[in-house]
Amino acid sequence: MSVMNPILKNHLCKLPVGTVIVGKWHNHAYKIVKPLGSGANGAVYLAESMKGLVAIKLSDNGTSITSEVNVLKRFSKVQGAALGPSLLDMDDWFDPYTNRAIPFYVMEYIKGEEFFSFIKKRGKEWIVILVLQLLSALDQLHEEGWVFGDLKPENLLVAGMPPTVRLLDVGGTTLQGRAIKEFTEFYDRGYWGLGSRKADPAYDLFAVAMIMIHACYPLKFERKENTRQQLFTMIRADATLRKYQNVLMKAIDGAYKRAIDMKRDLVAAIHHDDLPSKPFVAPKQSSSRKQHHKKSKKRSGVLETAFIVVTLLCVYALYLYGQIL
Amino acid sequence: MRKGTLRQILLITDGCSNHGEDPIAMAALAKEQGITVNVIGVLDQDTMDENGLREIEGIAMAGGGISQVVYAKQLSQTVQMVTRKAMTQTLQGVVNRELKQILGSNVSMEDLPPEKRGEVMEIVDELGETVELEVLILVDTSGSMKTKLPTVKEALFDLSLSLNARMGDNLFSVFVFPGKHEDVEKVLDWTPKLEALSSVFPKLTSGGLTPTGPALRRAVSHFQKTRSLRSLIVRDESYFEESSM
């Protein structure tokens, strides 16, 4: 048996518009409007139902459907959180094309925009705002004893007014202390050699740091020999990221045990420049850095002159002392 | 529910066998002894030939496991995913058998109402996290595989990272084929630390023959060793054998 039957998967990803899916247990009907996306674990469609527009996920992998429903059920018990979409129904559909029962679940349809395309449209200043929202949601999830796991921009949706970040695709959500169920290499601290794949809050916070880095470096990059140094250099080299370098490095090193601590430090870093006493202003452009360099050269010239004068004075004093004797 | 040990052979190859017994027969032999065989086919740029593909699928099917063909670049992610999926599949088979005993001959998880299914799934998840796991990795080092060996090594480290994050214990062993003098050669005996591999893996020499069948047979017999090894380590814990679905 292969991981996913290719013919069946293909078929599930290409259900024609207008197909009516009726569950065999609860008898609710869903009419497919358009595809919303498909991945390794199934296909998601927009559908019409008695309750209005909904999102419906079908998969020939009953295991992953059941796992995801389990997580969504838990999430719905967490009050008022921007966690996953709320779960509406779960059932089996007898697929006439393949004569098989296809498990599916129905969730709230969240109309929104993908994280990165939102930032591209609305500007980089939104990165940190959305990350602050994300950290609040993660903190709630962590307090309930879970870790999101497969945290990446593709699983984040910005919806509503005011724009609010929502978590999608709960396939990676894992109980703390267990092995992360699903992950994506680029956002996985294990891949970067910077920690284990045991689910703890710091695992998600590492991914948050990677999302911020990726938001400023749109081209995906691969790990090099010294991964920590590599990430640090990239953070230092970007004007947006440099402002948060201490917070980002702490998240990368797994130093935050709680999302709320990282949020607090991020907020502090945002307002850092607004404070009246600025201890150090980072050079912003290469030209200003050159000027800075020149300045320091000048300063060292002054020091040199002072040094020579002092030495001469000393020699003269010694000479005078000798004359007096 | 009793807790047992899951046994898996993970075969990493890039083509067809050409020496010794039929590997599909050897995979069937493994399955009979409660050992699941998973196969990962590694591609270069081009596609794999028809015979190679068919053999890979055949081995996994006969061995009750999962097969996946990928480019070398995706190897890490695939190796850990296939291993985890095969574990879940086997555990689900075990749970299904228990369900049949309780609820009657023709009931499996899919026949339960969706609400009940969730509870069963939680048991499967729990087992997957805590069960003991023995993985024997069989690496094809013949011909064109040679250039991919650094990637294979990386993927195996990644696998140990994933599996060692579980609560349950793991034992790993690594064999390569063809060996220097024999069809198959042991490069790492049963150990919980797959990282020990780094010292032995680069020294491999690769030859022309691809004795996949004999390698599988040898792998199956190597599982006998863990039984005596385990009984030495864990005296008072009883040892259950798990047969695959």
Side-chain angles (χ1 to χ4, degrees), chain A residues 56-274:
Chain A
I56 178 166
K57 179 162 184 178
L58 302 111
S59 172
D60 68 342
N61 185 346
T63 317
S64 68
I65 287 276
T66 310
S67 289
E68 287 171 28
V69 165
N70 271 351
V71 174
L72 287 173
K73 268 188 198 159
R74 305 263 172 145
F75 279 9
S76 63
K77 285 174 194 154
V78 183
Q79 287 290 308
L83 303 178
S86 53
L87 179 72
L88 302 171
D89 188 15
M90 179 199 182
D91 214 322
D92 297 326
W93 169 53
F94 184 77
D95 177 7
Y97 305 95
T98 54
N99 282 335
R100 274 183 53 165
I102 305 288
F104 70 86
Y105 66 85
V106 180
M107 55 195 150
E108 164 200 6
Y109 170 55
I110 304 171
K111 197 173 159 59
E113 197 163 357
E114 225 179 69
F115 189 77
F116 278 176
S117 68
F118 179 88
I119 285 163
K120 220 174 169 185
K121 244 186 234 166
R122 303 285 292 266
K124 274 191 173 179
E125 67 269 31
W126 278 95
I127 296 173
V128 74
I129 311 295
L130 296 176
V131 164
L132 290 177
Q133 294 178 354
L134 175 61
L135 287 170
S136 302
L138 287 175
D139 192 61
Q140 246 173 325
L141 193 73
H142 295 160
E143 287 291 306
E144 296 289 314
W146 294 86
V147 163
F148 191 78
D150 199 5
L151 198 58
K152 54 180 173 181
E154 295 90 326
N155 283 346
L156 298 174
L157 210 61
V158 186
M161 197 63 223
T164 312
V165 81
R166 300 282 304 260
L167 291 160
L168 286 182
D169 197 348
V170 295
T173 308
T174 310
L175 272 175
Q176 283 175 29
R178 294 192 175 185
I180 293 288
K181 264 195 222 155
E182 244 173 64
F183 59 86
T184 305
E185 275 181 351
F186 187 83
Y187 306 95
D188 163 48
R189 70 176 177 198
Y191 167 81
W192 291 95
L194 294 167
S196 78
R197 285 199 186 122
K198 215 179 237 310
D200 56 29
Y203 185 90
D204 279 344
L205 301 181
F206 179 91
V208 171
M210 290 309 293
I211 289 173
M212 286 183 76
I213 294 173
H214 194 21
C216 296
Y217 288 94
L219 287 179
K220 231 174 217 183
F221 47 91
E222 274 172 37
R223 63 180 168 191
K224 291 184 187 144
E225 198 79 342
N226 187 347
T227 52
R228 191 185 180 276
Q229 187 57 45
Q230 179 192 356
L231 296 175
F232 183 60
T233 310
M234 293 183 78
I235 292 168
R236 290 282 298 164
D238 183 89
T240 313
L241 295 174
R242 199 184 305 124
K243 202 170 164 185
Y244 311 114
Q245 64 172 2
N246 293 334
V247 187
L248 289 169
M249 286 318 287
K250 263 179 98 173
I252 284 165
D253 290 336
Y256 288 117
K257 299 284 169 262
R258 294 172 50 189
I260 214 76
D261 296 336
M262 184 173 172
K263 187 182 171 184
R264 186 202 53 223
D265 284 4
L266 263 185
V267 170
I270 293 168
H271 297 298
H272 185 261
D273 288 355
D274 303 332

Side-chain angles (χ1 to χ4, degrees), chain B residues 171-190:
Chain B
L171 279 180
F172 302 98
S173 179
V174 182
F175 280 65
V176 296
F177 64 98
K180 246 178 218 162
H181 309 293
E182 304 161 87
D183 281 344
V184 54
E185 189 179 331
K186 179 175 72 191
V187 291
L188 188 71
D189 206 346
W190 292 111

Side-chain angles (χ1 to χ4, degrees), chain B:
Chain B
M1 177 155 301
R2 65 185 195 194
K3 219 163 268 181
T5 300
L6 289 189
R7 301 206 168 102
Q8 289 189 2
I9 292 173
L10 177 69
L11 171 64
I12 302 175
T13 181
D14 72 345
C16 236
S17 66
N18 57 16
H19 180 74
E21 300 104 319
D22 180 1
I24 298 177
M26 293 305 112
L29 176 72
K31 192 187 172 194
E32 282 310 308
Q33 294 175 53
I35 302 164
T36 309
V37 186
N38 300 310
V39 194
I40 293 174
V42 193
L43 291 172
D44 276 320
Q45 270 84 25
D46 40 342
T47 49
M48 193 173 280
D49 71 291
E50 198 66 16
N51 286 338
L53 273 177
R54 211 175 301 133
E55 188 178 279
I56 284 169
E57 274 174 16
I59 294 171
M61 206 175 290
I66 289 171
S67 71
Q68 181 92 314
V69 178
V70 292
Y71 291 107
K73 220 176 154 210
Q74 303 154 287
L75 201 58
S76 290
Q77 191 110 9
T78 310
V79 162
Q80 62 87 21
M81 192 188 73
V82 161
T83 306
R84 292 298 298 255
K85 284 215 167 165
M87 281 176 75
T88 311
Q89 188 177 301
T90 309
L91 289 169
Q92 226 176 338
V94 175
V95 171
N96 269 344
R97 266 204 310 283
E98 304 259 337
L99 279 176
K100 271 176 197 150
Q101 275 183 7
I102 302 164
L103 301 169
S105 58
N106 277 325
V107 178
S108 73
M109 198 167 138
E110 286 71 34
D111 301 316
L112 292 174
E115 294 77 22
K116 291 278 170 224
R117 234 176 270 167
E119 291 168 34
V120 177
M121 196 58 222
E122 269 173 29
I123 296 171
V124 173
D125 267 359
E126 172 83 32
L127 279 172
E129 183 64 31
T130 53
V131 75
E132 285 174 17
L133 179 68
E134 292 167 2
V135 189
L136 191 145
I137 299 137
L138 259 184
V139 185
D140 175 354
T141 55
S142 66
S144 53
M145 271 300 284
K146 194 169 185 178
T147 53
K148 295 163 200 151
L149 290 182
T151 320
V152 170
K153 200 174 92 183
E154 225 169 70
L156 295 185
F157 287 168
D158 195 84
L159 176 69
S160 88
L161 195 66
S162 277
L163 293 180
N164 286 335
R166 299 186 320 127
M167 293 169 185
D169 292 331
N170 305 297
L171 279 180
F172 302 98
S173 179
V174 182
F175 280 65
V176 296
F177 64 98
K180 246 178 218 162
H181 309 293
E182 304 161 87
D183 281 344
V184 54
E185 189 179 331
K186 179 175 72 191
V187 291
L188 188 71
D189 206 346
W190 292 111
T191 170
K193 289 196 180 96
L194 196 50
E195 298 86 274
L197 189 65
S198 52
S199 50
V200 272
F201 218 46
K203 288 181 199 159
L204 297 171
T205 49
S206 37
L209 290 179
T210 312
T212 315
L216 278 169
R217 178 166 42 80
R218 179 75 195 283
V220 172
S221 60
H222 195 61
F223 273 96
Q224 306 299 326
K225 234 188 118 183
T226 58
R227 276 163 225 236
S228 43
L229 193 76
R230 284 252 194 216
S231 60
L232 275 176
I233 304 168
V234 200
R235 265 167 211 285
D236 37 33
E237 216 171 280
S238 52
Y239 191 86
F240 295 111
E241 193 182 325
E242 207 94 67
S243 65
S244 74
M245 62 193 300

